[in-house]
Amino acid sequence: MSLYKPYTSRSDEKRTQEFTVTEFDILKASHKFLRDDAGQPGSSSTNDASSSSSWNDQLAKKYYDTLFREFALCNLKHYKSGNFALRWRTENEVLDGTGETTCGNMRCEYHRPHSTSSPLPRLTTLELPFAYEEHGELKQALVKVVLCPGCVKKLMWKRSRREDSGERKSRSSRKRLREHAGGNDVS
């Protein structure tokens, strides 16, 4: 009986749980990968911000201001379809050097900082054109990512696959032309 709250029914608990909105829910709804108001002078002032935007927008902007936007971290889980996810680094990741001195792919074995005894492969810094949809609006940005050679191959997998299929098609068409031309010369 100690598990139940006195004088409440289960239906009341369900109603309150359905309408509870947490700060995380607000962040998910109003977060933007790149904010338009990030570089505006006076945007950090609380008086200006409170008069021009809602509390939800202020919360999202405060979270955005805590992110470090020099290098991004990526998730190449769905690299074969050409889709990958990007996010900015947090303060702890910047202090650890994650994504700058290590591979920026979150699923890579070289993602976490290693001891000095195990050598890291040579890392490559790439500036990617990143096109994405946010709140129904198409946006584009240039994002810097540091990757190991294996993750660079994954990132370029679809493009290299497309180029390989194009080369195969052109080789087969050249071969058919040679066969067709060679058949005419013989007869």
Side-chain angles (χ1 to χ4, degrees), residues 7 10 16 28 31 45 62 69 73 117 120 157 175 186:
Y7 311 113
R10 288 186 178 262
T16 58
K28 283 194 311 187
H31 177 70
S45 167
K62 185 176 180 180
R69 296 175 296 278
L73 298 178
S117 62
L120 283 173
W157 187 83
K175 186 178 179 182
V186 174

Side-chain angles (χ1 to χ4, degrees), residues 85-133:
L86 291 175
R87 71 170 178 85
W88 298 118
R89 299 183 304 158
T90 61
E91 183 178 5
N92 291 338
E93 291 166 336
V94 170
L95 294 175
D96 291 342
T98 305
E100 185 174 0
T101 59
T102 64
C103 183
N105 181 9
M106 292 182 281
R107 294 176 162 256
C108 182
E109 62 181 302
Y110 302 114
H111 176 66
R112 294 279 169 219
H114 292 293
S115 64
T116 56
S117 62
S118 62
L120 283 173
R122 185 174 177 165
L123 300 174
T124 306
T125 302
L126 301 170
E127 193 167 82
L128 305 173
F130 182 57
Y132 61 101
E133 184 177 337

